[in-house]
């Protein structure tokens, strides 16, 4: 399966979902654009500004930025997009902007291909990272551990235990003529 | 396994999902040998994975499709209009398990709702009374909880929030089912271990699917020739206009032909009309069974929308059954709310991977991550309501784009009807009230996902001019061509469709069996 088909599956907005997941081996791709510490740092900041989680360490954003770089190096069109994007970040001194300023700037470039590339790659790669799952408190795969039946599937204790059976009037409610039902409701309301 | 010669005029079923898998079981049980051609492979429960994207890529139908219309899916997921599966068991491999029945008047919405501008409403040629015995059989096959004496599933965390919220806003009709996953062992399948991966196939085997029940049992009769990785590309006919065979690609992509005396089409609401349209000929220039011009039209996908709510305290909604929570209070037709028809609320949980991609396609920034950051404290529900059939919402062949075999891909066109929008807006407000009543600190109106419910593109009708099949699933035009899948649904009702698809397939099978036994086909 080639990239163009993958790109096709999701629309422009979410195009990277499949690219992310079907990447054969990003390490084998010939990486040039953005593959230096300075550019990577800039992109890491952008990933974080787009999906800010203050409590996340650098690790997940670093992996995400690496993915943004590797996918941005696939094909000459992507390379041009990535290199222009990085250049424009440098030109506005994006690296020095605080969160508020960066957000304002990102809002301005929101419709650009470069922004969409970074955003759509990040939303998939970041939230599909087991390290992030741990940070968010998601325990993930459970079958091998016997499911959650003995591991808290019903441990919520800040609300009362609910009824699980159907209400005895349900069958009659579903059977009732809807027009009659509406008339009765109206009667109750107006009385 | 039974081998049927390709030259033998066989009973051929296309697809092995809710409709096709059920048909294969019913026919072989009655002693009729069948060939079932399924485009996907046969994954067993040990092959399923507890991973959202992993399972999606394992089984989802990813052949090229295109979209058009004003629905948001066309913008956000332009190449992926649906979430359907290509595997033995079809989309019942990934389904959740909600199994409500239709209400009586939902079989006659045209008479009940009256004229709705722009909608192509039609009464079904069957009634609830006709369907009741088949509903019971389908519930027993699926093992629906709360039915047939089967126990209810316990309350999981997501349900606790949902049910208490429902109670506080004055709703009464909430429960943990009916749901097609066993609470206790039933029919050879174990009780749920609440592993939270129903949408990924359910490795424990507690959830019903035709890959777990109907297909294995049909194989046991030794009358089923199941050919996996076999993608049908054309149904052929003889000079009398009767279907006489199907052409398909085998696992190696080679073209094969199976002679047929009866063809039962069960490829779902996108592929079934597509195949009929692709099987055009000089005798049938508009495609097979299409004298009405209705093939591909009246595509419905249910209203849908989700509400996610973040709380101050932990919920951990991903633990446990994905959709074992129901509320029926808004399901009755009541035009005073500003729309016709009604909707169910059902609990729904996603992992971070899917929530990130689907919470707000295209969304970013602090508000979005506040929601994601509170992942442990999120509860969620799905809104599923009746959408209006519209003639122009349809599956057509897109001859500009070709699939892996060089055939035109299906284009899925969908424009939302004002009634759909009014109902969704109302439902979002009510869902917010529900979660706010139990202390939500943030709520999110999530738009519809790629369609999981796909209905109506070969609809049943009493009169041949109004639809494609009759009340037995038999095409009005061709007496040895039947359709048994979601595409035959005349209108969508509020209920999740699979119980009805399964019940219809059982009902249709009786006609197929008696017609074959009488020698009429
Ligand atoms: C995540 C998810 C959750 C769901 N939850 C629920 C729920 O809780 N309750 C509910 O009622 N419904 C639910 N559904 C919907 C349910 O899965 C479908 O309504 C049902 O499976 C449709 O049945 P069908 O027979 O029309 O098609 P399918 O089950 O999709 O079967 C069609 C089969 O035909 C095969 N096929 C198609 N074209 C060809 C061809 N040309 N040649 C050979 N084979 C072909 C396909 O590979 C597939 O196996 C859910 C769906 C999803 C995706």
């Amino acid at each position: 399966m080639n990239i163009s088909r993958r790109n096709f599956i999701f629309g422009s907005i979410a195009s990277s979902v499949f690219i992310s997941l079907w990447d054969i081996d990003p390490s084998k791709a010939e990486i040039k654009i953005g593959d230096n510490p300075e550019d990577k740092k800039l992109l890491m900041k952008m990933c974080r500004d787009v999906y800010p989680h203050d409590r996340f360490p650098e690790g997940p954003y670093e992996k995400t930025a690496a993915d943004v770089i590797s996918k941005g190096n696939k094909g000459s069109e992507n390379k041009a997009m990535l290199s222009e994007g990085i250049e424009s970040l440098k030109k506005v001194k994006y690296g020095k902007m605080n969160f508020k300023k960066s957000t304002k700037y990102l809002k301005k470039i929101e419709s650009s291909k470069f922004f969409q590339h970074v955003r759509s790659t990040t939303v998939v790669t970041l939230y599909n990272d087991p390290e992030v799952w741990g940070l968010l408190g998601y325990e993930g795969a459970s079958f091998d551990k016997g499911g959650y039946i003995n591991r808290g599937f019903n441990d919520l204790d800040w609300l009362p235990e609910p009824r699980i059976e159907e209400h005895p009037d349900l069958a009659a409610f579903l059977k009732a003529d809807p027009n009659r039902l509406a008339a009765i409701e109206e009667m109750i309301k107006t009385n | 396994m039974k081998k049927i010669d390709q030259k033998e005029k066989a009973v051929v079923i296309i697809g092995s999902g809710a409709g096709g898998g059920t048909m294969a079981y019913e026919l072989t049980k009655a002693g009729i040998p069948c060939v079932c051609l399924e485009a996907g492979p046969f994954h067993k429960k040990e092959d399923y994975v507890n991973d959202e994207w992993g399972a999606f890529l394992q089984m989802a139908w990813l052949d090229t499709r295109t979209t058009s219309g004003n629905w948001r899916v066309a913008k956000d997921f332009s190449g992926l209009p649906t979430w359907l599966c290509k595997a033995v068991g079809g989309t019942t491999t990934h389904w959740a398990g909600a199994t409500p029945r239709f209400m009586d008047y939902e079989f006659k919405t045209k008479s009940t709702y009256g004229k709705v501008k722009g909608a192509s409403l039609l009464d079904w040629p069957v009634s609830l009374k006709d369907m009741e015995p088949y509903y019971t059989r389908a519930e027993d096959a699926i093992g629906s909880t709360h039915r047939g004496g089967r126990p209810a599933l316990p309350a999981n965390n997501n349900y606790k929030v949902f049910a208490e919220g429902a109670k506080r806003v004055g709703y009464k009709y909430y429960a943990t089912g009916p749901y097609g996953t066993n609470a206790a062992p039933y029919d050879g399948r174990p009780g749920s271990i609440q592993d939270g991966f129903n949408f990924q196939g359910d490795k424990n085997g507690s959830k019903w699917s035709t890959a777990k029940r109907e297909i294995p049992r049909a194989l046991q009769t030794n009358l089923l020739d199941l050919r996996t990785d076999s993608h049908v590309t054309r149904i052929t006919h003889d000079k009398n206009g009767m279907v006489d065979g199907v052409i398909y690609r085998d696992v190696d992509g080679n073209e094969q032909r199976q002679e047929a005396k009866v063809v039962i089409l069960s490829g779902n609401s996108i592929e079934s009309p597509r195949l009929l349209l692709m099987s055009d000929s000089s005798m049938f220039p508009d495609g097979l069974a299409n004298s009405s011009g209705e093939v591909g039209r009246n595509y419905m996908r249910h209203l849908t929308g989700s509400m996610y709510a973040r709380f101050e305290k932990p919920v951990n909604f991903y633990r446990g059954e994905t959709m074992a929570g129901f509320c029926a209070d808004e399901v009755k037709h009541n035009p005073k709310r500003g729309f016709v028809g009604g909707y169910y609320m059902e609990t729904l949980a996603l992992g971070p991977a899917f929530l990130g991609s689907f919470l707000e396609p295209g969304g970013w920034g602090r508000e979005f991550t506040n929601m994601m950051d509170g992942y442990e404290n999120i509860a969620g529900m799905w809104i599923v309501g009746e959408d209006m059939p519209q003639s122009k919402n349809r599956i057509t062949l897109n001859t500009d784009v070709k699939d892996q075999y060089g055939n035109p891909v299906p284009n899925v066109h969908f424009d939302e009807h004002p009634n759909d929008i009014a109902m969704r807006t109302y439902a979002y407000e009510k869902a917010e009230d529900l979660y706010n009543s139990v202390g939500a600190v943030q709520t999110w109106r999530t738009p519809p996902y790629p369609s999981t419910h796909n209905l109506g593109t070969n609809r049943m009708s009493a009169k041949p001019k109004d639809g494609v099949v009759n009340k037995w699933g038999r095409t009005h035009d061709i007496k040895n061509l039947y359709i048994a899948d979601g595409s035959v649904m005349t209108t969508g009702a509020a209920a999740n469709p699979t119980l009805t698809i399964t019940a219809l397939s059982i009902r249709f099978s009786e006609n197929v069996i008696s017609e074959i036994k009488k020698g009429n086909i």
Side-chain angles (χ1 to χ4, degrees), chain B residues 165-324:
Chain B
K167 191 172 159 190
R168 288 193 192 169
V169 298
Y171 291 151
K172 289 201 297 196
Y173 303 115
Y174 53 87
T176 58
Y179 194 68
T181 296
N182 290 344
Y186 170 76
D187 201 24
R189 296 193 306 278
S192 166
I193 58 166
Q194 305 282 347
D195 81 351
F197 286 91
N198 253 35
F199 283 180
Q200 288 69 35
D202 182 32
K203 281 180 85 68
N204 198 50
S206 301
K207 180 182 81 171
W208 171 85
S209 76
T210 55
K212 290 191 194 130
R213 184 178 187 273
E214 280 68 15
I215 292 294
R217 289 186 190 183
L219 288 169
Q220 269 166 23
T221 64
N222 208 24
L223 291 173
L224 180 66
D225 183 344
L226 174 67
R227 296 184 205 155
T228 59
D229 303 286
S230 298
H231 192 136
V232 178
T233 54
R234 190 176 184 85
I235 302 170
T236 60
H237 63 81
D238 63 18
K239 61 180 191 312
N240 302 318
M242 297 278 281
V243 294
D244 65 357
V246 301
I247 293 172
Y248 65 97
R249 299 293 186 118
D250 66 16
V251 64
D252 302 316
N254 295 324
E255 201 162 270
Q256 304 286 348
R257 177 179 165 86
Q258 173 66 51
E259 298 287 323
K261 66 172 176 180
V262 180
V263 172
I264 297 152
L265 179 53
S266 304
N268 77 49
S269 297
I270 313 294
E271 293 305 315
S272 288
R274 177 189 181 212
L275 199 49
L276 294 175
L277 295 173
M278 278 190 343
S279 302
D280 60 341
S281 65
S282 52
M283 189 184 242
F284 300 117
D286 299 325
L288 292 184
N290 197 19
S291 65
S292 62
E294 293 291 318
V295 168
R297 290 187 186 272
N298 313 301
Y299 170 65
M300 295 169 287
R301 59 179 312 257
H302 273 147
L303 176 82
T304 89
S306 308
M307 171 67 52
Y308 293 98
R310 188 164 61 82
F311 295 86
E312 265 162 13
K313 296 191 186 132
V315 179
N316 290 309
F317 76 152
Y318 60 88
R319 296 181 192 156
E321 287 302 332
T322 313
M323 204 173 250

